[in-house]
Amino acid sequence: MTLPDTLPKRLCSEAEVDELMARPNDALIDMMRRIEGDIAILGIAGKMGLSLGALAVNAIRAAGVTRNVYGISRFSDPAALIALEQAGVIPVRCDLLDRAAVKGLPKVPNVIFMAGRKFGTAGEEDLTWAMNTLVPAQVCEHFTRSRIVAFSTGCVYPLIPLDRIGCVETDRPVPVGEYAQSCLGRERTFEYFSRINGTPVCVLRLNYALDVRYGVIHDLARTIWEGRPVDRTVGHFNAIWQGDANRQALLALEQCSTPPTLLNLTGPETVSVTTLAETLGRLLDKTVTYAGEPGPTAYLNNAAMAHGLFGYPSVPLAHVIAWTAEWVKQGGRSLGKPTHFEVADGKY
Ligand SMILES: NC(=O)c1ccc[n+]([C@@H]2O[C@H](COP(=O)([O-])OP(=O)(O)OC[C@H]3O[C@@H](n4cnc5c(N)ncnc54)[C@H](OP(=O)(O)O)[C@@H]3O)[C@@H](O)[C@H]2O)c1
């Protein structure tokens, strides 16, 4: 496999991964020249937000304009705050469940909403609903005059048979389980406030961001490397390199509308868990074992609309597979946050 000159053959350090993810493309740099005002990223301290914040700062610098990027989270992990400061993001500590604290946030014209709750839902459903519906309501009440890009999930669609080409934005959402239902609740909350206040919104239904340190490919590579059987209950998926997902999320600021624009955000390939596992097995020099047969349905989303707007992802899946296999083989750090992509009953 020959990698294009612009992409490295392997990613050897976290600094290299972070640098690659924070590299803006021309479209994003141009957009930073066009849009006015500061940017606030709510729920920045998670798996995606740190790199999205750094990407926004780099695009602004490359555009030669002056804009502040505020990064809002509780900063449960203090290391995230330091990383953001180093990247040029202004950290703002805030628990978004605290209505009064939300009212104190800087009122900026551009908002990326990334906060949410998934794992731990089973047994604490009320907190998931509060995070995924009450918090968006408080945010919408505060940022009435901003445009808001709100992350959602591809799990608002049902699992579908494999002979379909993937759910499109006009398909009716049929979320399975309380996590996915609360995510549809989040979308409906943004939709409601967008309608009553005229706030422009773009909802991103993301299916699986990929980083060498976490994500479906990372999970599979570790499973195989550690000699555990691969679960194929959900035997197919779509995914996108996190750097591309972040770029598209920022570009989506110009797609906000009333009522909200809905965009599926994922890669163009439908990935077979079996084929991927065999590829990873070869790269890792391991024999793959399986638990069960591939399931008949999967979360499959068609992101043709986003690809039409933003182009195809710049990092092909083959690169992510090669990078991740090498990363796991070399003992690279794992975030220790499994995706649980194999869950088919919606219980997280
Ligand atoms: N990563 C994926 O593959 C994927 C797939 C589908 C959808 N999504 C959605 O995309 C968004 C970003 O993904 P992600 O993987 O980066 O999520 P994540 O790792 O869960 O990060 C979200 C961050 O929000 C912050 N947060 C949570 N509760 C908060 C509160 N009450 N007040 C302030 N901040 C709070 C947390 O940081 P603190 O603890 O420091 O506050 C958390 O790290 C999420 O909404 C997620 O559901 C992601």
Side-chain angles (χ1 to χ4, degrees):
M1 185 164 41
T2 316
L3 303 180
D5 292 343
T6 48
L7 292 173
K9 285 192 167 55
R10 59 181 65 83
L11 296 172
C12 300
S13 68
E14 295 206 51
E16 224 176 308
V17 180
D18 292 338
E19 190 278 324
L20 180 66
M21 283 201 191
R23 226 185 264 177
N25 62 359
D26 290 344
L28 187 56
I29 295 166
D30 288 344
M31 187 202 78
M32 289 302 182
R33 291 197 186 103
R34 282 192 302 272
I35 63 157
E36 290 188 359
D38 296 340
I39 301 174
I41 303 167
L42 277 57
I44 197 170
K47 301 183 291 299
M48 301 182 72
L50 300 181
S51 54
L52 192 146
L55 174 66
V57 169
N58 289 345
I60 288 164
R61 284 177 182 160
V65 294
T66 308
R67 316 242 184 280
N68 290 320
V69 178
Y70 296 100
I72 291 134
S73 262
R74 296 163 303 179
F75 298 107
S76 320
D77 175 6
L81 195 146
I82 296 163
L84 284 178
E85 279 177 336
Q86 283 169 351
V89 173
I90 303 165
V92 179
R93 197 184 293 275
C94 172
D95 183 346
L96 295 167
L97 281 164
D98 179 342
R99 195 182 202 107
V102 171
K103 283 185 178 160
L105 291 176
K107 284 202 176 180
V108 301
N110 306 291
V111 173
I112 310 281
F113 181 82
M114 309 187 80
R117 185 167 191 271
K118 178 176 184 181
F119 300 113
T121 294
E124 254 187 323
E125 288 83 355
D126 57 326
L127 180 54
T128 295
W129 280 95
M131 263 313 296
N132 294 346
T133 61
L134 271 182
V135 166
Q138 287 165 188
V139 165
C140 286
E141 281 171 346
H142 183 65
F143 291 103
T144 46
R145 294 181 182 281
S146 309
R147 51 185 137 185
I148 306 177
V149 171
F151 276 77
S152 180
T153 167
C155 298
V156 295
Y157 297 116
L159 291 103
I160 58 167
L162 306 176
D163 59 359
R164 286 196 44 196
I165 56 163
C167 295
V168 294
E169 290 82 351
T170 46
D171 287 348
R172 197 166 67 89
V174 186
V176 178
E178 285 213 38
Y179 159 68
Q181 288 160 8
S182 76
C183 291
L184 181 59
R186 170 168 59 193
E187 292 191 6
R188 294 295 187 215
T189 305
F190 278 110
E191 187 181 347
Y192 170 73
F193 282 100
S194 175
R195 188 164 52 76
I196 64 165
N197 292 333
T199 307
V201 171
C202 179
V203 169
L204 300 177
R205 291 176 171 165
L206 170 62
N207 263 24
Y208 300 126
L210 299 171
D211 181 323
V212 293
R213 297 163 290 197
Y214 90 98
V216 183
I217 296 179
H218 172 93
D219 291 351
L220 280 168
R222 282 188 70 89
T223 298
I224 294 163
W225 183 246
E226 291 165 7
R228 291 180 281 120
V230 170
D231 188 328
R232 293 185 288 184
T233 309
V234 177
H236 294 76
F237 66 93
N238 309 122
I240 181 168
W241 174 245
Q242 184 163 291
D244 284 310
N246 285 343
R247 261 189 295 275
Q248 294 193 14
L250 285 166
L251 287 168
L253 281 167
E254 289 193 313
Q255 302 303 323
C256 294
S257 65
T258 310
T261 305
L262 301 176
L263 280 180
N264 290 344
L265 177 54
T266 194
E269 303 91 347
T270 294
V271 189
S272 145
V273 170
T274 310
T275 307
L276 172 61
E278 293 301 324
T279 306
L280 288 168
R282 272 195 303 280
L283 292 169
L284 294 166
D285 207 14
K286 293 276 185 185
T287 303
V288 184
T289 59
Y290 297 98
E293 295 297 316
T297 59
Y299 286 115
L300 295 178
N301 293 346
N302 184 328
M305 199 190 292
H307 298 152
L309 288 167
F310 310 127
Y312 283 116
S314 66
V315 176
L317 202 70
H319 291 60
V320 188
I321 296 169
W323 290 340
T324 310
E326 190 62 23
W327 186 264
V328 168
K329 218 167 158 178
Q330 300 301 327
R333 187 169 79 97
S334 168
L335 296 190
K337 293 181 177 173
T339 52
H340 294 294
F341 71 93
E342 70 284 356
V343 170
D345 62 4
K347 290 186 184 150
Y348 296 98

